[in-house]
Amino acid sequence: MIQFPIISEYEVAIKKSGSAVLNLPDSYEFIANRTVPIKFFNFGSGAFAGIFKIRNISSNKVFALRCFLNGGDPDDINRTIKVSEYLHTLPDSWVCKSTVYQRGITVKGNQFPVILMEWTTGKKVNDYVSSIIADNNKISQLQKKLVELNKSLETKGIAHGDIQSGNILVEESYNDIILKLVDYDPMYIPALAGKTATETGHSSFQHPKRTKSHFNEKIDRFSFWLLLTALEAVKFDKTLWNKDLRGGFNDEDNFLFKAKDLLNPQSSQLVNRLRSLNQKSLNFYLDKLFSSTFSPQRDELKHFASETNN
């Protein structure tokens, strides 16, 4: 069994040797996360991987370097590598292209695998909503893009597994937007059929009855219906997007809804307030989101406009 470094050992190696620790085809340099009071390179870490930022010296393009950590389940790490290799073959715009290098970094004389992934400069989707909150046309555009994203995943037999604010990034391009997905550790791909999930996702975006046994290409539907519902709601009441302390339901980590609202929608202050708006389109989304309290399975995603045209 591979004994991976801990995050501080990666940090020490990078501070000591810089780009000499990398065993990659091109030349790169590390970009510090901060330089004061001391230089620090790590940009965050999850259950079994830390993130560093590097720049290709020739192209000047920036990448995220995922380095695996001691304590991570080897099976989960192998699964992440398998997912990254699979996504590398896809042309879809939501994919942050990544390449696996089995001996990509040297720490204490030993070589370890890394995943080199393109670095996106997009905004987290909740931050993007804050920037367009007054523009219902842009909110509708975002809803349409979310439906397209979900369909793109499902038609390829893929599910992200943890759809939430921090894992959907929005890149603006002239009058269009491009959605990017990050954090592929919980992802379902066809090669994982019959396996169980490594996690059940952010509780403010997941059905409370979802378990690790719910693991197929349709598991993102509940989360996407939640996003569509929240976006529809703020078209009619902008104050919903205010921070909690200002009478709204935004805690900067959720999307209006919290786990308690999903667990017991009948007694939820938020759900009751949304119902009181008495808007046909909003009620459509609410009905889809809360169609069952016993099962996370949900109907195929669609925009309300397409429903009215059927």
Side-chain angles (χ1 to χ4, degrees), residues 51-54 62-66 115-119:
I51 302 293
F52 297 91
K53 191 174 184 180
I54 61 176
V62 176
F63 295 85
L65 187 75
R66 298 197 70 204
I115 297 177
L116 189 67
M117 177 178 290
E118 66 174 326
W119 188 281

Side-chain angles (χ1 to χ4, degrees), residues 72-92:
D73 187 323
D75 289 339
D76 291 344
I77 291 173
N78 289 334
R79 180 185 291 201
T80 293
I81 290 173
K82 183 181 291 187
V83 168
S84 292
E85 290 174 339
Y86 175 77
L87 295 180
H88 185 72
T89 67
L90 300 182
D92 302 78

